[in-house]
Amino acid sequence: MSTYVEARDVAAAVAAMADGARPVAGGTDLVVGARHGKAPLPESIVGIHRIPGLDGISVADGVVRIGALTSHAAILSSPELASATAGLLDASAIVGSHATRANGTLGGNVMNASPAMDTGAPLLCHDASVVLTGPGGTRRVGLAELWTGPGKTSASPDELMEAVELPLPPEGAGSAYVRLQYRRQMEIAVVGAAAYVEVSDGAVSAARVAITALTPVICRVPGSEEALVGRRLGSNDSVSGENPAVWTQTTEIGDAIHAAGQAAAAAATPISDVRASAGYRTAMAAVVTRRAVTAALTRATGGSVTVPASDWSER
Amino acid sequence: MTVTEERPTAEQQGTFIRPDGKEKVTGLGRYTADVNLTGQAHAAFRFADHPHARITRIDTSAARAIPGVYAVVTHEDVPENLYGGMVQDRLLFAKDTVRWEGDVVAGVAARTQAIAREAAAAIVVEYDVLPALPDFVANAQPGAPLVHPEWTAYDADDDLSREGNVVGHSTILKGDVDAAMETADVVVTSRFVADASQGAPIEPRAILAQWTGDRVTVWTSTQVPFAARDGVAHTLGIPQSHVRVIVPLLGGGFGSKCDFHFEAHVAALAEAAGRPVKLVFSRREEFLAPDHRREGMVLEFETGATKDGHLVARRATLHLDKGAYTGEGGFFAQMAAMHACGPYELDNVAVRAMLTYSTNQPSSSIRAPTAPQTCWALEQHMDQVAAAVGLDPVELRRRTLIRQGSHGPTGQVFDEIGMLDTLEAAVEMIGYGQELPDDEAIGVACGWWPSMASPSGAYVKLNGDGTGTIVTGAQECGTGAVMALPILAAEQLGMRPDDFSILYQDTDAGPWDMGASGSQTTFNNGRAVVAAAQEVRAQLLQMAAEKLEIDPADLELVDGTVRAVGAPSTSVTIAELAGTGTPLLGKGSGDLPENPPTDIPSACVGRLGLDSFLAPQLITHAARVKVDRETGVVRVLAFAAAHDSGVIVNKIGADGQVYGGVMMGIGQALSEATYFDEEGRQRNPGLLDYKLQTASDGPRIDVRWIEVDTPNAGPKGSKGVGEPPSVPTSGAVGNAIAQVVGRHVTQLPMTAERVWTTIQDVQEEAK
Ligand SMILES: Cc1cc2nc3c(=O)[nH]c(=O)nc-3n(C[C@H](O)[C@H](O)[C@H](O)COP(=O)(O)OP(=O)(O)OC[C@H]3O[C@@H](n4cnc5c(N)ncnc54)[C@H](O)[C@@H]3O)c2cc1C
């Protein structure tokens, strides 16, 4: 007998989950996946989409908090996130279609733990963690510890994800996410990469790079990060966010961006399937990484990169 | 998608918007899957477990024992009647052999779809597995293992040239190619490979069958109701009068719902279950099960040309993948051969096309069968010829395209045609020759497609209040017949198009029609509606003449009245005449136009009547694309489509066909393919990996109609419209890509990875 209940608060949801119910938010992974025969619909389901307070975006005490029920569409229209976590907007902007973005939630995207999820790489680069509440209380888990395999998390089945939290980036930071796109809507990540950089005194002071759909779990690429940190963006007058081509190709940073791309390609362990060959995926890992880093640096240096950066960086 | 109007909109012209549009876009429309009958059971099929195998045992007892199962049907339960449009090579339920992964072995009717599926899986089927034969080029070689060892025993169309796995061999031989090649300044050879693709309608097919005594009514999502009816009658061995086919709203077809498919399977299940049975395909089944997808092809061209841009000779060898069964697609070899010539002046031709069985999903008509792929290959080859002789590609076409008085590749002499005008119009609209960034370019391609004459019928009757009803055998699948037919009837009767209701499609009501296929509904059924309306017109004039005591010759029909010419106040309304109770009823079919003669030698084989193109539809497409050199991703930025479809009967409908056709063509160009594994199983049977273009990918599309008032054609000098918009599309995109990349991509679709690989090859060689 399958059952469906709707939770009115977090406690009720957690109680239902402790009784074996699976939470459903937008249902765009769970229900659609079941229809496709990916996995049967769970016997017992608890609807969490009407729990008050589980959506919404706030910035306080240097922490950006995004409620689990926040839809991709809501992320896209948030001015706070636009300035703080542009890379997340790049991701939410290209999730599925208008309908998917209106219904799909950040919580569902992150907890579904697909290696092709779009918000994963930018959130990882923003050092995000999730707030999990179970019968025993609330804990915070970093994303690198959360995702343990394709479709697998370290959250226990009775833990509800309440929010994603990430540190408010300082001045001079920028992030971006770029995905290879065969068409403009309804794509799935075949290759993607995110970058987060901090620029101070004309040099990269911090860098985080992560790749999507290229490894069993979305992961950071230390080699790409090392290639970038400490690199100078070139002389002051050539640092022009408006025209990144000038400084990315002719200076020290251009070589570093190239090396970051190569490191991402080396870190990738792609498969060959109907979507792309492993060889093409590897080559594209370098390309999207270079583009993500370039877009992040452009934003960090005050340049304008329209959302989604995937479109912006098409050549 | 931005759409610009070259001419006044339909409303400004006084034409009207499709009456079924609102219900479709608001979700109120009822499709076959929405029809339910009390007590209905649900159907599921057991498909072949191997692409090619001998069946050694079928045991349905376990399936029958499952609670809720009403019936299980196999080949034992239906007559052993082979069927197929041009070759009768298939049984409803596989008996000895399965020949592709979608072959149906058994059907189940059960209380719920879940039980039906469970029972279908519980049927025990044992096989001796045979080697899969997916390679249609290898299968065409003499001595290749046969997909149908019993092929000689099949009933088939006498004009098909068959041999072993080759279901259709067709040649066009003209002049002396060997001698002519010697006189050429350049000889260019090219080889191209096109993957299979799909019609991919939004609506997965659905069928509901209900018996009343020994008669069955079938609601089905088909483009061809009469072919579906005839298929049920033939395979179940019952008279056509015992089968009634009704088509609720149809959610697209694009050719994939042509032909008889699963109507008889469901009817047989309903009979066995003793209750109505309904089948609704999942998206996955819609990809895997129909014997209907676009054929994969391998194409080789050799063209000799002179420096001044004259084509002296053409050789071509084409291989087409028929898949496991023939269906209605037996004509593909000849159709492809015509497209390997294209709308060009050619005196010396040697084209050979082979349509060959394989153990892949059967191919059959998808919008302009064989044309998009062949045109894509030929038009890229033409650009290569242009480069070899040092001419601009548009200039080469200017010098070689057919025009009035031209002798075409088969000796057909053309009446007034707008081929060259379409070229000039497309080139002008796209801004050919403009300065572009170095990652953008414009490509141009030309193509053609025949208008198809077929018998067709309609009734027109008037209601007591002066409105009318058209009862037609034609089918509407988005082609716009619901607009064109009332427009034509209204013109004859001095009425307004929205004065008419249309009754389609019920095979017990309307006269026979070939269905929504071959770009021919308005072409043929329009003629029938005009003829039927003319009968009503004569009746009205006669009645009015008696009433007004005026000679019928002095009367005209205007604004819902019959009135005296020159004395409009002497009049009677149509409502008054129709309200008297005297039936006002006309029937018609009109006179069929005849195919123009040709002069190709009778030695040519596989002649099925396509070697001349009646009222040829002529097309030039031009695409401006942007190529991302690092990824190979191609975006089509602007598109120009210029068509000679004769006089346009209904512009809003014709424009719609071009917008949709161009989008489908761009999909075929860049992203749409069915990929088979080495055994012939589909690798991407779903919309996640079968990549249709989305509305966001749509470029600006400019449309221009070159309206040539065409003799020996459809109503008002019209030709067909529906299929040509997908014909030269991928060729134009391909030529544009090649301009940026420096080389033609030789595989269709030209996916990002294939474009990228071509770029890598060019760069490697430059080193
Ligand atoms: C047509 C289509 C296109 C898509 N395109 C993309 C795309 O481009 N990129 C992309 O990344 N994704 C895509 N998706 C996947 C999906 O839309 C997103 O992952 C979306 O964000 C999922 O959110 P949801 O609320 O619908 O998740 P649901 O389906 O409700 O849940 C997904 C999973 O997360 C669990 N879950 C949900 N909320 C919580 C919570 N608060 N705590 C604990 N567990 C929870 C559920 O139990 C389930 O296992 C697409 C889906 C569709 C149908």
Side-chain angles (χ1 to χ4, degrees):
Chain A
M1 218 6 226
S2 16
T3 59
Y4 173 82
V5 293
E6 212 174 275
R8 294 294 158 150
D9 54 36
V10 171
V14 170
M17 289 164 72
D19 274 349
R22 270 278 287 287
V24 61
T28 60
D29 267 319
L30 194 76
V31 182
V32 177
R35 275 217 211 146
H36 285 187
K38 209 156 88 185
L41 213 53
E43 283 291 291
S44 170
I45 294 175
V46 53
I48 60 169
H49 55 291
R50 292 219 175 88
I51 298 180
L54 262 196
D55 62 350
I57 296 155
S58 65
V59 182
D61 303 330
V63 174
V64 179
R65 184 181 163 103
I66 311 169
L69 290 181
T70 309
S71 69
H72 297 286
I75 289 173
L76 273 174
S77 58
S78 155
E80 294 97 327
L81 296 184
S83 59
T85 63
L88 178 60
L89 271 72
D90 291 334
S92 285
I94 57 178
V95 167
S97 64
H98 294 283
T100 327
R101 294 189 284 275
N103 286 299
T105 65
L106 184 64
N109 200 234
V110 169
M111 296 308 283
N112 197 54
S114 158
M117 85 176 87
D118 284 306
T119 65
L123 287 177
L124 198 56
C125 287
H126 273 283
D127 250 349
S129 46
V130 292
V131 181
L132 299 176
T133 298
T138 296
R139 63 184 180 123
R140 285 176 169 68
V141 180
L143 289 180
E145 292 75 52
L146 179 73
W147 299 318
T148 51
K152 293 202 177 72
T153 71
S154 61
S156 84
D158 57 6
E159 281 183 307
L160 183 78
M161 194 253 257
E162 287 200 60
V164 170
E165 288 184 351
L166 53 92
L168 182 67
E171 275 298 299
S175 69
Y177 173 66
V178 172
R179 178 178 85 175
L180 177 68
Q181 301 204 94
Y182 298 149
R183 60 182 176 189
R184 291 200 189 278
Q185 297 276 325
M186 300 296 281
E187 266 300 2
I188 181 164
V190 176
V191 175
Y196 168 91
V197 292
E198 290 172 16
V199 175
S200 53
D201 299 329
V204 179
S205 51
R208 293 191 283 270
V209 172
I211 50 179
T212 306
L214 288 160
T215 48
V217 174
I218 292 175
C219 66
R220 299 254 302 263
V221 185
S224 301
E225 299 170 356
E226 282 155 22
L228 292 164
V229 173
R231 297 312 177 103
R232 304 201 57 77
L233 267 57
S235 65
N236 270 344
D237 45 300
S238 73
V239 177
S240 161
E242 295 298 337
N243 187 7
V246 177
W247 51 263
T248 55
Q249 283 171 18
T250 56
T251 66
E252 184 180 338
I253 194 68
D255 294 342
I257 293 170
H258 184 78
Q262 295 309 108
T269 55
I271 53 164
S272 280
D273 67 6
V274 75
R275 293 175 191 159
S277 71
Y280 179 63
R281 280 185 160 98
T282 304
M284 291 309 102
V287 173
V288 295
T289 301
R290 290 201 298 268
R291 291 179 178 189
V293 171
T294 304
L297 282 169
T298 305
R299 283 174 175 155
T301 51
S304 132
V305 173
T306 48
V307 171
S310 299
D311 290 355
W312 174 85
S313 62
E314 251 179 39
R315 304 244 201 290
Chain B
M1 172 163 32
T2 328
V3 156
T4 59
E5 292 292 342
E6 289 275 322
R7 291 189 1 203
T9 62
E11 296 105 294
Q12 286 161 346
Q13 280 194 335
T15 54
F16 78 123
I17 310 258
R18 50 184 316 138
D20 61 358
K22 192 171 173 188
E23 52 179 313
K24 284 183 171 172
V25 300
T26 55
L28 290 173
R30 285 289 167 259
Y31 296 80
T32 304
D34 300 316
V35 180
N36 292 299
L37 295 174
T38 306
Q40 73 191 13
H42 298 268
F45 289 149
R46 172 63 175 266
F47 296 105
D49 299 273
H50 307 276
H52 195 198
R54 295 220 137 251
I55 299 172
T56 55
R57 189 167 85 99
I58 304 176
D59 181 350
T60 59
S61 51
R64 287 177 200 276
I66 294 175
V69 171
Y70 300 130
V72 180
V73 169
T74 69
H75 68 90
E76 288 181 357
D77 305 293
V78 294
E80 196 171 331
N81 290 346
L82 286 161
Y83 71 94
M86 295 185 84
V87 180
Q88 309 220 325
D89 55 9
R90 189 168 185 196
L91 291 170
L92 291 178
F93 297 97
K95 184 184 176 206
D96 302 317
T97 311
V98 291
R99 294 189 177 84
W100 65 295
E101 63 172 330
D103 238 336
V104 180
V105 178
V108 176
R111 189 162 46 77
T112 66
Q113 198 180 48
I115 297 172
R117 285 175 193 264
E118 182 194 338
I123 298 168
V124 175
V125 189
E126 290 173 5
Y127 302 89
D128 279 342
V129 177
L130 299 169
L133 301 169
D135 183 342
F136 54 96
V137 179
N139 293 351
Q141 304 312 311
L146 294 176
V147 176
H148 290 269
E150 54 282 70
W151 68 275
T152 51
Y154 292 153
D155 284 338
D157 191 312
D158 288 340
D159 294 325
L160 274 179
S161 165
R162 298 188 298 143
E163 181 69 44
N165 283 325
V166 179
V167 207
H169 178 204
S170 190
T171 54
I172 297 175
L173 306 167
K174 192 189 166 203
D176 184 341
V177 171
D178 293 341
M181 279 294 178
E182 295 293 318
T183 69
D185 294 326
V186 299
V187 174
V188 177
T189 59
S190 327
R191 183 175 188 277
F192 297 94
V193 176
D195 281 324
S197 60
Q198 303 279 341
I202 283 187
E203 177 204 28
R205 68 199 66 207
I207 297 167
L208 173 61
Q210 179 181 40
W211 289 81
T212 318
D214 57 0
R215 287 158 196 252
V216 66
T217 302
V218 184
W219 291 260
T220 174
S221 42
T222 182
Q223 290 176 246
V224 289
F226 287 93
R229 179 197 67 175
D230 300 354
V232 174
H234 169 74
T235 53
L236 299 185
I238 55 177
Q240 291 176 352
S241 60
H242 287 208
V243 185
R244 177 179 175 195
V245 167
I246 297 173
V247 188
L249 288 183
L250 189 63
F254 309 100
S256 74
K257 292 173 185 163
C258 289
D259 215 348
F260 153 67
H261 288 287
F262 302 103
E263 289 82 4
H265 299 80
V266 181
L269 279 168
E271 191 173 32
R275 54 174 70 222
V277 171
K278 183 173 181 179
L279 174 81
V280 180
F281 268 176
S282 67
R283 179 60 65 185
R284 187 181 157 78
E285 287 168 328
E286 184 59 32
F287 272 94
L288 290 172
D291 49 359
H292 227 105
R293 47 99 186 166
R294 195 185 284 291
E295 54 293 335
M297 288 180 73
V298 174
L299 313 99
E300 287 167 351
F301 289 95
E302 180 180 350
T303 299
T306 58
K307 283 280 177 207
D308 62 352
H310 177 64
L311 307 177
V312 297
R314 158 88 32 84
R315 283 198 192 94
T317 304
L318 313 176
H319 285 279
L320 295 90
D321 183 10
K322 187 70 208 69
Y325 298 104
T326 308
E328 44 81 70
F331 63 94
F332 284 11
Q334 193 180 25
M335 186 62 98
M338 286 297 282
H339 288 283
C341 299
Y344 294 98
E345 295 182 330
L346 282 168
D347 294 330
N348 301 288
V349 182
V351 174
R352 202 159 84 92
M354 270 146 303
L355 177 68
T356 307
Y357 281 133
S358 69
T359 53
N360 299 329
Q361 179 185 31
S363 59
S364 261
S365 301
I366 300 294
R367 196 178 205 155
T370 78
Q373 315 95 299
T374 313
C375 186
W376 162 78
L378 173 65
E379 288 300 287
Q380 297 207 100
H381 176 71
M382 283 294 290
D383 268 30
Q384 293 168 341
V385 171
V389 298
L391 278 176
D392 177 88
V394 169
E395 185 54 35
L396 177 67
R397 288 177 175 82
R398 225 171 244 138
R399 296 184 190 186
T400 53
L401 285 169
I402 51 171
R403 57 210 75 199
Q404 184 168 9
S406 286
H407 289 243
T410 56
Q412 174 181 358
V413 180
F414 294 95
D415 290 320
E416 188 188 348
I417 50 172
M419 185 71 245
L420 281 167
D421 306 277
T422 68
L423 177 70
E424 302 304 343
V427 157
E428 182 210 311
M429 283 189 285
I430 202 75
Y432 191 77
Q434 66 181 292
E435 277 287 313
L436 291 171
D438 79 339
D439 56 353
E440 289 182 24
I442 289 170
V444 175
C446 301
W448 63 349
W449 185 255
S451 298
M452 198 169 296
S454 165
S456 180
Y459 309 126
V460 171
K461 55 180 188 167
L462 295 190
N463 306 310
D465 63 354
T467 61
T469 296
I470 297 167
V471 182
T472 175
Q475 173 58 32
E476 163 70 47
C477 70
T479 52
V482 289
M483 292 184 278
L485 300 179
I487 287 172
L488 291 168
E491 274 172 7
Q492 292 300 323
L493 296 171
M495 293 165 62
R496 290 170 307 158
D498 49 15
D499 287 337
F500 287 90
S501 61
I502 301 194
L503 175 63
Y504 79 96
Q505 188 24 269
D506 180 337
T507 54
D508 270 5
W512 189 89
D513 181 274
M514 73 181 274
S517 61
S519 302
Q520 56 73 47
T521 302
T522 305
F523 191 82
N524 291 310
N525 200 246
R527 186 181 62 235
V529 166
V530 168
Q534 279 169 347
E535 280 196 12
V536 176
R537 181 187 167 88
Q539 293 162 17
L540 281 172
L541 289 175
Q542 193 53 46
M543 288 171 80
E546 282 163 23
K547 192 168 172 93
L548 300 172
E549 298 179 347
I550 298 179
D551 189 304
D554 296 328
L555 292 172
E556 59 184 3
L557 284 109
V558 179
D559 289 343
T561 65
V562 190
R563 66 187 197 193
V565 177
S569 57
T570 309
S571 71
V572 53
T573 65
I574 291 178
E576 248 176 285
L577 297 171
T580 60
T582 306
L584 282 159
L585 172 65
K587 65 174 196 320
S589 58
D591 298 325
L592 269 186
E594 273 179 28
N595 267 23
T598 64
D599 67 4
I600 59 170
S602 54
C604 294
V605 300
R607 298 184 66 173
L608 303 164
L610 289 167
D611 36 36
S612 68
F613 275 8
L614 170 69
Q617 306 171 63
L618 305 161
I619 324 121
T620 301
H621 281 180
R624 179 157 69 85
V625 311
K626 179 172 185 285
V627 181
D628 184 332
R629 285 201 176 85
E630 285 187 328
T631 62
V633 169
V634 173
R635 306 285 181 210
V636 180
L637 303 179
F639 205 92
H643 289 237
D644 169 5
S645 276
V647 171
I648 298 303
V649 174
N650 172 34
K651 184 165 181 294
I652 199 171
D655 287 350
Q657 292 298 305
V658 177
Y659 301 139
V662 166
M663 286 309 292
M664 186 168 175
I666 292 173
Q668 289 167 174
L670 298 178
S671 56
E672 286 186 46
T674 281
Y675 300 104
F676 293 109
D677 70 11
E678 35 326 310
E679 296 224 298
R681 293 179 202 267
Q682 288 189 38
R683 298 172 65 202
N684 56 331
L687 291 174
L688 183 58
D689 286 307
Y690 183 89
K691 294 220 176 279
L692 297 164
Q693 296 287 296
T694 73
S696 301
D697 299 295
R700 172 198 166 105
I701 301 172
D702 291 321
V703 183
R704 196 175 299 166
W705 297 103
I706 308 298
E707 294 195 65
V708 176
D709 188 350
T710 306
N712 193 31
K716 302 168 85 171
S718 62
K719 309 182 187 181
V721 170
E723 286 161 299
S726 288
V727 172
T729 323
S730 47
V733 172
N735 282 335
I737 294 171
Q739 292 282 334
V740 176
V741 170
R743 177 168 305 176
H744 286 271
V745 179
T746 57
Q747 269 179 294
L748 192 68
M750 299 169 286
T751 60
E753 180 166 354
R754 287 170 176 173
V755 172
W756 179 80
T757 305
T758 307
I759 294 169
Q760 300 303 108
D761 291 346
V762 171
Q763 287 173 355
E764 274 305 306
E765 282 169 35
K767 274 181 194 161

